[in-house]
Every structure is written in structure tokens, then in C-alpha cells.
Amino acid sequence: MNNKKWRNAGLYALLAIVVIALATAFFDQKPQTSETWKYSRFIQQVESNNVDKVRISADRTVARVKVADGTGVQDVQVNLPDDPDLINILTKNNVDISVLPQNDEGFLVKALSGLFFPILLLVGLFFLLRRAQSGPGSQAMNFGKSKARVQMEPQTQITFSDVAGIEQAKLELTEVVDFLKNADRFTAVGAKIPKGVLLVGPPGTGKTLLAKAVAGEAGVPFFSISGSEFVEMFVGVGASRVRDLFEQAKSSAPCIVFIDEIDAVGRQRGAGLGGGNDEREQTLNQLLTEMDGFEGNTGIIIIAATNRPDVLDAALLRPGRFDRQVVVDRPDYAGRLEILNVHARGKTLSQDVDLEKIARRTPGFTGADLSNLLNEAAILAARRNLTEISMDEVNDAIDRVLAGPEKKDRVMSEKRKELVAYHEAGHALVGALMPDYDPVQKISIIPRGGAGGLTWFTPSEDRMDSGLYSRVYLQNQMAVALGGRIAEEIIFGDEEVTTGASNDLQQVARVARQMVTRFGMSDRLGPVALGRQNGNMFLGRDIMSERDFSEETAATIDDEVRNLVDQAYRRAKEVLVGNRHVLDKLAEMLVDKETVDSDELQELLATNDVKMAALI
């Protein structure tokens, strides 16, 4: 029996109980006459000994009188005045007196009293059934139902005009929207609708935003669900939810089904210890069948998003299931500028805010990072009781996002401040005097996060977009990282060297080993990659590498890494020793001002005789 039949049966039972209770209350009432005596006649009959029994109402306003006369026993009604002598008169004439209880005064009161507990019981059962149908317990009754949020007329309030910085991805999805709106134009030339579009990219680049924009532009029913919502502890539940989702989608075609974080259910199969017959794999098998099985899903377009395409099953990625893989990458300078213009809407910016300068200062930022950046700037402006967001708040927000909030309340001794100043001045001076390296943006000895001080460099846009780094650049990067440690050694001696350069040394070791084993930049080993990186994904493919070389080669690798580090150390030390006077002045400026920007550093270098680093 389904839920509707249960509800109907409950209503019929409630109606039957009401009828029975009313009938019982009605038949319990004794017939009453319509004759009513005046009070004076009633007293006369009492004194004449014609009255046997008097029943007085609880409020003492009405009495029912049994009168014995020649015709038999009559039952009449008397409206009683406020007479204090009434009881004495009745007692004196031996009349049987009784007072009616409150709940026996009428038909309605008696009927309601009989209905109270049955109604209470049925109301309780009704709410229990409703809770079972719509509350947390509904999973027991609707375990295999899809949890997708359905919008028959999408009201996402987001269109392609709200998506900026990812023009290529937007173009790919614009064609999907055109197909949904004007399918005849495509079918006329034999084009088939793509069954699936996989959005791939780092977190925060706008994959979910793109899906919302597609729904807002197409105006077709939109089903959205997360990959993790398919998976339950019971085998078969996820597959049942997949079937239910596609049944709903087929009934609403043409439509869009958006699956966020599909890697939660679409990981590679065959890793289970029990033959792979686990819940997640059954769910994936059902998803593969629904996307490209014997039955076609004409009019259903699946859009999925993930930032881990490397872990997805190969059967899921083939054409016919996900026909297109759209890469939603980090935006370049032009894309960041467009994104900043979008997120600047609704914010009160002062005239000194230069969005182009902000875009150049934020290479590698995603759309979510830029949105958070302007929001942090607005929070700082409100905290400082300002009515506009100035460039100072934006710069502070950039530093806060990159390195954490300032710790201005930390009291630093003069010795510690001088040590941090020389350390950061060493990084900045080596970086500024190295050929083919990123320019220095700002130097600060104000503690942020876990760092006692920081030196910011402006990365090259071309290098970041292409991902191509030259051998000279990597050697310069190691020299710059060692600059802080070397400055400590020069100024304070080997005995006063601190642990502040631990992260720098880790970076140097990592870069040197990658140059030897991955980039083929070793003179002794030549252009060869050593150590396979294709370990099993379930055992940590990203962090484990398989050793495929001998012990002798391993020793050679260690020697080459040592040689690269020693070479970078010598270059950095030559720069700092040859420009000791500039190092002292820069450290003095940092102790005095705590922050030195790029213009002040360039002015310092221009007014002093400096020696550039030698080429390798």
C-alpha cells in the first residue's frame, strides 16, 4: 500500500470515530420536554408535595424537576432566580436534591469529551507519517531516490556575462547552449549533440560557475548533484539513485544534468580487495550504462566538474560519454583584469585603485582568489572606518592572502629585527642583481603567518603561462633562496646562523634534484629522466616514485645535486660580498621603515655602485 492509500485510510478512520462518538453522545441524552414552569408554580408544587426529585445545574440557573401527578411522572424545566432560601424549602418538603456535573450539561460537551483521545491519537499518527515521508527518516523509505536539486526554470541569476577570464571554456559551453536552443541548425548539417562535457581545472577557476551560467542561459530544466551524494554504505543504493536521476531527466528532456566533483564516484575501477564489487564501482557502472548504453538519452547533456582528471576511469572519459574535456585554467593577465572588473561591481573603489596594477601583481590567482582579494580589501576598509576602498587596502589584502595577516603586536628585540632585516635584504639584493630573474616587488620584516619577514618577487607572466623555466632561471632561483642564509653568515658569523633559512634550504634541495632527475640539466648524467612517477594512484601516485637506477647512479645524482647547490652558494656570496655597502644600507632602511617597496630599492641601487652577478 502506497503513502496515498495510507493517508486516505487514516482520514476514513478519523471520520468513522467522529460519527460513532457523536451518535453515542446523542443517544445517551434522555428526551426532554419543551414545558417550562415559572419559579412561583415550581414552589407551589414543592409545597404541595408533588415534586419528588430536583436536579440543579452546576451554575444553579436551571433545574430539572420530576413531578408526580395523576397523569404519571413529568420532567419539566425551571429557570431558577438567585434565591438563597431554595435549598431550605426543598429540604423541608423532603425533595431529593442533586447537582449536575459540569460535563453532563449538554450534548456538545459530552460529544467533544468522547472525541478527545481518539482525535489526539490520530493526529499523532498523522504527524509520524508526515515525518517519515519528509524528515530525516525518509531515507529508510526513499533510499534509492535521487537527491538531485531540480530547477525546471533555472533561476541561478548567473549568465555568461558574469563569467570572465575563461573565454575558451565559455565558447565551448556556448555551443552547448546554442544546441539546446536551436537544435535544428545543428542537425541540418548532421551534427549530434555532445552527450557530456567534462570541466577540468584547479579549484576556484569557475567550473561550477560555468555550469550555473549554462543553466541560466539555456533556460532548460537543470539537475544538479554532487558525486558524493551517489555513494552510500549499502551496495546498490548509488546505482539506484543514478537510475532515478536519469529517469527524471528523460521525462524533462531537453535538460542539463550537472555532477559536481565527479571524481568522488568516477575513480578508476579494479582497486577493491573483494574483486572490485563495491558500492562506488557499482554506481560508476550504472553511470556508464546510462550515459552510453543501449538506450540513447537524446536531449540530456551531462556537465561534470573535477580538479582530479588523472584519477578518473578511462571508460568515463571516452567519446560518447564525455565528448568534450574543457580545461578551465588559471586566468592570464587579461583574464584577471576581466574578473576584477566583474567582482568590482557593487564595491566603492577610490580613484587611486588601479585594477590593471592589481592584475599584474596577482599572477597565478584564480577567480575565487580574486573575489576573496577584493572582499578582504572591503573588510579592511570597513575595519578602518573608511567609506571607500583605496589601493592601500588592496595591497594589504594581497599580502594577507599570500602570506597571512600581519603580526604587528609582536614585540621584536633590536637584535632580532636586525637579523631578519639582513636575512631579507640578502634575498632581495641577490634577486635584484641576478640576470634574467623576477623583479623585487616588496621587502618586509613584519611577521606574517609563520614567517619572520618576507621578500616578494613579481613572477613573469610568460613563464607562468607557458610553464617553461630555463636552466639559468632555476640556478638564479637557488642563489636567491640561499641569499638570506649567506647574509647571516657574512654579518653575524657562522656561529650566529639561525634556523630561519630552513624553508629556503628545502626549496634549494628540491630544485637541484629536479634539475638532475627530471629536467636533464646535469652535465655528467645528460638529458635523461630518472625515477618513474607513475606509481599506483591508490598508494599515493603523487608522492611516490619508483627507483629505476643503480646505486652508482644514485651516488652520481647526489654529487650533481651538491655541485649545483655549491655553485649557487658561490654566486650568491660573491654578489653579497661585492655589494656589502648596499646590503648594510638596505638592512638599515628595513630596520627603520619595516617595509621597502620596489621603487625605493631601485633608487638605492641607482645611487650606489653595484656589481651584478656573473653569468654562469
Side-chain angles (χ1 to χ4, degrees):
M1 184 178 291
N2 56 28
N3 294 334
K4 185 175 181 180
K5 291 183 178 179
W6 276 109
R7 288 196 296 269
N8 292 338
L11 292 175
Y12 292 147
L14 178 61
L15 181 61
I17 290 176
V18 171
V19 171
I20 293 173
L22 291 175
T24 303
F26 176 80
F27 287 111
D28 266 354
Q29 301 299 310
K30 294 186 178 179
Q32 301 179 14
T33 64
S34 60
E35 184 178 1
T36 301
W37 283 358
K38 293 182 179 180
Y39 182 67
S40 58
R41 181 180 178 185
F42 167 63
I43 296 298
Q44 290 176 359
Q45 292 294 330
V46 169
E47 293 177 347
S48 301
N49 295 322
N50 292 330
V51 176
D52 294 333
K53 182 184 290 187
V54 175
R55 291 187 294 174
I56 303 175
S57 64
D59 57 359
R60 299 197 176 187
T61 59
V62 178
R64 293 179 183 174
V65 181
K66 287 189 176 182
V67 183
D69 57 8
T71 61
V73 179
Q74 279 187 309
D75 193 355
V76 298
Q77 180 176 312
V78 179
N79 296 323
L80 301 178
D82 187 10
D83 186 357
D85 297 330
L86 175 61
I87 301 300
N88 294 333
I89 295 173
L90 295 175
T91 304
K92 183 178 178 180
N93 291 279
N94 299 319
V95 177
D96 186 8
I97 306 171
S98 63
V99 179
L100 297 173
Q102 184 72 32
N103 60 354
D104 195 33
E105 288 183 3
F107 168 77
L108 183 60
V109 173
K110 188 168 183 178
L112 291 178
S113 64
L115 285 173
F116 178 75
F117 287 105
I119 292 177
L120 182 63
L121 177 62
L122 284 177
V123 168
L125 291 174
F126 176 75
F127 279 108
L128 284 176
L129 285 174
R130 289 294 300 272
R131 182 184 178 89
Q133 293 165 13
S134 60
S138 62
Q139 294 183 10
M141 302 177 67
N142 299 319
F143 221 48
K145 296 295 183 181
S146 170
K147 294 185 177 182
R149 274 76 62 193
V150 184
Q151 298 180 20
M152 299 307 292
E153 295 182 3
Q155 301 295 328
T156 61
Q157 307 298 325
I158 296 174
T159 61
F160 282 139
S161 61
D162 301 309
V163 182
I166 42 179
E167 297 303 321
Q168 184 61 38
K170 203 159 68 169
L171 177 62
E172 296 278 352
L173 293 175
T174 301
E175 294 180 1
V176 174
V177 174
D178 289 342
F179 198 100
L180 289 171
K181 287 185 174 180
N182 306 304
D184 295 340
R185 181 159 57 92
F186 291 86
T187 55
V189 294
K192 294 182 180 179
I193 185 172
K195 293 186 178 180
V197 179
L198 182 64
L199 305 179
V200 178
T205 49
K207 298 183 294 295
T208 305
L209 184 68
L210 269 173
K212 292 180 179 179
V214 170
E217 290 281 352
V220 297
F222 183 69
F223 296 77
S224 62
I225 191 170
S226 172
S228 62
E229 295 185 51
F230 288 117
V231 182
E232 291 284 353
M233 64 180 293
F234 300 111
V235 175
V237 174
S240 176
R241 289 179 178 173
V242 171
R243 286 192 294 270
D244 185 65
L245 171 63
F246 277 86
E247 286 177 4
Q248 295 181 47
K250 290 175 186 176
S251 63
S252 304
C255 64
I256 295 173
V257 176
F258 175 60
I259 305 176
D260 201 6
E261 304 297 344
I262 195 173
D263 52 276
V265 69
R267 286 176 173 261
Q268 293 181 14
R269 293 168 292 178
L273 298 179
N277 189 24
D278 61 1
E279 160 64 1
R280 184 185 54 77
E281 293 194 4
Q282 294 295 324
T283 306
L284 175 57
N285 291 336
Q286 186 64 43
L287 180 61
L288 295 174
T289 303
E290 293 289 349
M291 290 185 68
D292 189 22
F294 287 102
E295 297 182 8
N297 295 325
T298 305
I300 301 177
I301 296 180
I302 301 173
I303 301 177
T306 182
N307 51 27
R308 293 296 308 275
D310 55 317
V311 303
L312 294 180
D313 193 87
L316 193 64
L317 300 178
R318 73 163 178 80
R321 292 196 173 109
F322 283 111
D323 302 280
R324 293 186 179 182
Q325 294 187 31
V326 179
V327 177
V328 187
D329 209 349
R330 300 177 188 272
D332 56 6
Y333 163 73
R336 291 195 299 275
L337 183 58
E338 291 181 14
I339 293 172
L340 287 170
N341 282 316
V342 170
H343 291 299
R345 300 172 189 169
K347 291 183 174 60
T348 307
L349 303 179
S350 63
Q351 294 184 353
D352 67 332
V353 175
D354 188 351
L355 295 182
E356 293 183 1
K357 186 179 294 185
I358 299 172
R360 294 193 184 281
R361 278 201 61 189
T362 53
F365 275 47
T366 64
D369 294 331
L370 294 171
S371 174
N372 181 52
L373 168 64
L374 292 183
N375 186 58
E376 287 288 345
I379 292 174
L380 287 174
R383 190 180 298 167
R384 296 170 183 175
N385 296 320
L386 301 176
T387 58
E388 293 181 332
I389 303 172
S390 68
M391 199 65 185
D392 291 336
E393 282 73 47
V394 175
N395 290 329
D396 290 343
I398 294 175
D399 297 341
R400 183 186 183 94
V401 170
L402 289 175
E406 291 184 354
K407 297 180 180 179
K408 287 189 174 182
D409 55 343
R410 180 182 294 180
V411 179
M412 296 175 61
S413 64
E414 290 299 323
K415 182 177 180 180
R416 184 177 184 278
K417 184 180 291 187
E418 186 180 9
L419 176 67
V420 175
Y422 271 104
H423 184 99
E424 298 304 327
H427 286 309
L429 192 57
V430 174
L433 299 179
M434 282 290 169
D436 190 25
Y437 197 69
D438 301 329
V440 178
Q441 184 184 103
K442 186 170 68 172
I443 318 160
S444 174
I445 62 171
I446 299 174
R448 285 180 179 272
L454 289 167
T455 301
W456 281 273
F457 293 89
T458 303
S460 169
E461 194 78 35
D462 293 337
R463 270 194 285 260
M464 289 201 67
D465 289 343
S466 65
L468 301 176
Y469 298 90
S470 66
R471 182 173 182 173
V472 172
Y473 179 85
L474 295 176
Q475 289 173 326
N476 291 341
Q477 188 178 30
M478 290 189 292
V480 171
L482 290 170
R485 174 66 174 266
I486 296 172
E488 292 182 23
E489 293 176 359
I490 294 173
I491 303 301
F492 302 101
D494 294 340
E495 290 77 11
E496 297 295 327
V497 168
T498 66
T499 60
S502 60
N503 291 335
D504 300 329
L505 298 179
Q506 292 175 15
Q507 179 186 1
V508 170
R510 186 183 70 252
V511 172
R513 188 162 293 275
Q514 287 180 339
M515 289 177 66
V516 174
T517 61
R518 294 184 59 190
F519 305 145
M521 296 180 179
S522 168
D523 295 333
R524 291 174 61 186
L525 293 173
V528 59
L530 301 171
R532 288 192 291 265
Q533 301 289 328
N534 56 348
N536 192 305
M537 54 171 285
F538 298 100
L539 300 178
R541 178 170 65 188
D542 296 335
I543 61 175
M544 295 188 65
S545 61
E546 183 180 352
R547 181 170 172 174
D548 59 353
F549 46 83
S550 65
E551 292 294 336
E552 294 180 0
T553 304
T556 305
I557 291 173
D558 293 339
D559 290 341
E560 286 294 280
V561 170
R562 168 57 59 188
N563 291 336
L564 288 173
V565 174
D566 289 344
Q567 186 181 37
Y569 183 89
R570 288 193 299 270
R571 295 181 67 219
K573 191 166 186 177
E574 289 175 2
V575 170
L576 294 179
V577 171
N579 298 280
R580 169 68 185 273
H581 60 294
V582 182
L583 178 65
D584 292 335
K585 290 181 181 180
L586 180 57
E588 184 179 347
M589 291 174 63
L590 285 171
V591 171
D592 183 44
K593 302 176 61 175
E594 292 187 337
T595 300
V596 174
D597 59 22
S598 59
D599 295 336
E600 293 171 324
L601 177 61
Q602 292 301 322
E603 182 180 355
L604 176 65
L605 296 177
T607 55
N608 289 272
D609 185 19
V610 295
K611 297 179 181 180
M612 297 293 292
L615 295 174
I616 300 173

